[in-house]
Each structure stands twice: as C-alpha cells, then as structure tokens.
Amino acid sequence: MSTSLPRTVLAYQRNAKLYTLSTLVTSVTPFQQLAEASRQLFKAVPDEDSFVVTTAETIFHPQGGGQPSDTGSLTSASNGAKFDVSAVRTDVVHDGVVLHLGRFADPATTFGAGDAVTQAIDAEKRLLYSRLHTAGHVLGAAVRHLLEREIAGFDELKASHFPDAAACEFQGLIEGRWKEPIQRRVDDYVARAMPVEIEFWDPDDFRREGLERLIPREDGEGVKKLAPGEKYRVVRIVGAEVYPCGGTHVDTTDLCGKVGVRKISRSKGTSRVSYNVS
C-alpha cells in the first residue's frame, strides 16, 4: 500500500443516511501485502483472494467506538466490477485511512486506484447499529442522571453497541434494585422523542458547556487523532446528555424502539448494564 495515502473523508459522520455514494479508489492491496499491524486489525484471517480497498470518501463506518463495522459493496462505474465488503477498520499505519476488506465477486473483473466506484452499505444493518448506539447513550444518560450523586466515584467508562452484546460500563457498584428505576428513566427518554443532534466542538466548546470531563484524550482507546483544523464530533441528546462520538445514530430517541434493560452485573468496582432493542 502507498505510504502517501490521503486521509479518508468520513462522509457518514455528516450524513448517516447516505446509503450509497460515488467516490474514487485510492488503492487496492492484496491483504497479505498489508503491513503486519494493519493485518492484525482484522481478527478473522482472510483467504488469498482477499483485498483491502481505500477510497477518497466512505459511507462505511469502521468498527470502533463500540459499534460494528458496516458491510456492503463497491461497484465500478466503468466495468461493473463488484467488490463485496465484509469488514471495515481504521488503519493504524496510515493516519486517518479507512480500510475496506473484501473480495471481488469475479476475480477476472476488478478495478484499481483512480477508478470511480459506487459504495453501497447494508441499510438494514446500519439502522440496527444506529438504534443500538443511540440506545446506549440513552441508557448512559439515564444511569448518570439517576446515580451520579448516589454512587461514590461514579463515572461512565465504555460501551458496546453490538447486537446481542450491548452494554454500558460504569465506575462504581450499581445494585440490582436500580434496574427498574433505570428502565423507567430509559422509557421516559425514549417516549419523549428527544432530538439527537450532531455537532463539532473544539476544547473551548466543551469548557463553555461545563463538560471539561468529556474532552477526548487523543491517546485514549478508540479516540481518533484529529487532523489540523478538525473538531471533535459530539452527539447531543437534547434534554439529556452530550457524548463525544464518531458513531451513527437515529434522529430522535423514539426511533430506538423499545430499549430493554436486561441485567446489572458487578465486578471489581465496576458495573455493567446490558440492554437490547426491539
């Protein structure tokens, strides 16, 4: 892979409803020719027919921030070559470059750098992932508002928004008796159809809002290093909370559907609250 690839423009961060997008290919690399650190991003070992494609822009959300990667396809505008995308990651070797892993549907018909392609994502998966991600923030806001002053050392830690494994983790021990109050608060936030707004902040914006604790540390796990002049992307659930977040979301909390608080588990000073959507 070229050592001078440009950063990938993350089109989904401005418009998560883009399910197709025309863009240009910037590289096509056999998987086995990737740098070792880049290959390690993909847990399953691809076969010898697997490639990684990079593009000028992408509507594919890379796995990260607790959200699974999108899947879909890239189709050449000139010869119809189709590349099926099975996994997406942000490279650790080339700053800001998004890697689309997959295979050409017909190995005899391919495309290369400079070719125009149409990206298409699995819209059904995207909607599910967006519902789960917004629901995770709704749950986090509900727990914070209920328990921030009730539990010594309380803080929100991390979250997973994967189907069948969605959960938010908190510093402090949350007793089982809080499950029903948390569910009621979550139900209230969902029923109120709170707007979910995307904003872009610099550190002064966090301070102005009294949210210095949320200023991302660029050495933190899953925190994207900013390009010069870039701002942090934040998600505001109007009337509840603000979260630094690069993921995709639904427009209002009611679009999460039914959010169920499944159980609360505790270990070594932390609590994990699992949830689902239906």
Side-chain angles (χ1 to χ4, degrees):
M1 183 183 291
S2 167
T3 58
S4 58
L5 289 174
R7 296 171 66 95
T8 308
V9 175
L10 306 180
Y12 66 84
Q13 287 203 341
R14 297 282 180 176
N15 184 356
K17 294 180 181 177
L18 280 174
Y19 298 149
T20 63
L21 177 71
S22 296
T23 187
L24 296 178
V25 174
T26 53
S27 71
V28 178
T29 307
F31 180 79
Q32 296 302 329
Q33 293 182 19
L34 286 181
E36 174 65 19
S38 299
R39 294 201 302 270
Q40 291 299 317
L41 294 169
F42 301 94
K43 301 303 182 184
V45 179
D47 60 33
E48 61 184 12
D49 294 326
S50 296
F51 289 81
V52 164
V53 175
T54 63
T55 54
E57 304 165 276
T58 191
I59 55 173
F60 286 80
H61 184 285
Q63 182 170 302
Q67 182 170 330
S69 78
D70 286 316
T71 60
S73 63
L74 310 177
T75 304
S76 169
S78 60
N79 65 4
K82 184 182 179 184
F83 182 80
D84 294 314
V85 178
S86 58
V88 188
R89 302 289 187 271
T90 301
D91 201 4
V92 293
V93 175
H94 301 87
D95 188 34
V97 173
V98 174
L99 309 176
H100 306 81
L101 173 70
R103 300 178 61 182
F104 286 99
D106 179 358
T109 308
T110 64
F111 49 71
D115 289 342
V117 294
T118 297
Q119 297 181 338
I121 62 168
D122 184 323
E124 186 175 344
K125 280 186 179 178
R126 163 62 67 80
L127 178 58
L128 174 60
Y129 298 161
S130 298
R131 290 172 58 213
L132 282 163
H133 205 147
T134 302
H137 288 338
V138 168
L139 174 62
V143 174
R144 174 174 287 280
H145 289 187
L146 281 171
L147 301 179
E148 185 174 20
R149 294 177 178 83
E150 299 287 338
I151 296 176
F154 175 89
D155 200 3
E156 295 178 69
L157 299 178
K158 59 182 179 179
S160 168
H161 311 297
F162 280 65
D164 303 320
C168 298
E169 294 187 18
F170 304 90
Q171 185 68 42
L173 296 179
I174 302 174
E175 297 177 4
R177 65 186 177 89
W178 286 105
K179 181 175 181 292
E180 288 307 315
I182 292 170
Q183 182 69 70
R184 288 195 296 271
R185 183 64 64 92
V186 167
D187 290 343
D188 176 54
Y189 286 173
V190 170
R192 285 162 60 185
M194 294 171 159
V196 181
E197 299 178 349
I198 305 299
E199 302 175 9
F200 291 85
W201 290 8
D202 60 26
D204 286 341
D205 293 317
F206 286 93
R207 298 185 186 99
R208 191 174 302 115
E209 296 269 347
L211 296 172
E212 292 90 341
R213 63 180 173 81
L214 295 180
I215 297 175
R217 292 178 53 190
E218 291 196 354
D219 60 347
E221 180 182 354
V223 177
K224 180 174 72 75
K225 184 178 179 181
L226 295 181
E230 193 175 8
K231 293 185 177 183
Y232 295 106
R233 184 177 185 266
V234 301
V235 173
R236 183 194 293 273
I237 300 177
V238 178
E241 282 289 333
V242 172
Y243 291 94
C245 180
T248 64
H249 293 273
V250 292
D251 290 337
T252 54
T253 56
D254 58 307
L255 297 178
C256 293
K258 171 64 178 177
V259 181
V261 179
R262 296 177 58 211
K263 66 177 182 179
I264 302 173
S265 54
R266 296 164 292 278
S267 176
K268 299 179 180 179
T270 65
S271 299
R272 178 180 174 90
V273 182
S274 61
Y275 70 96
N276 57 21
V277 297
S278 59

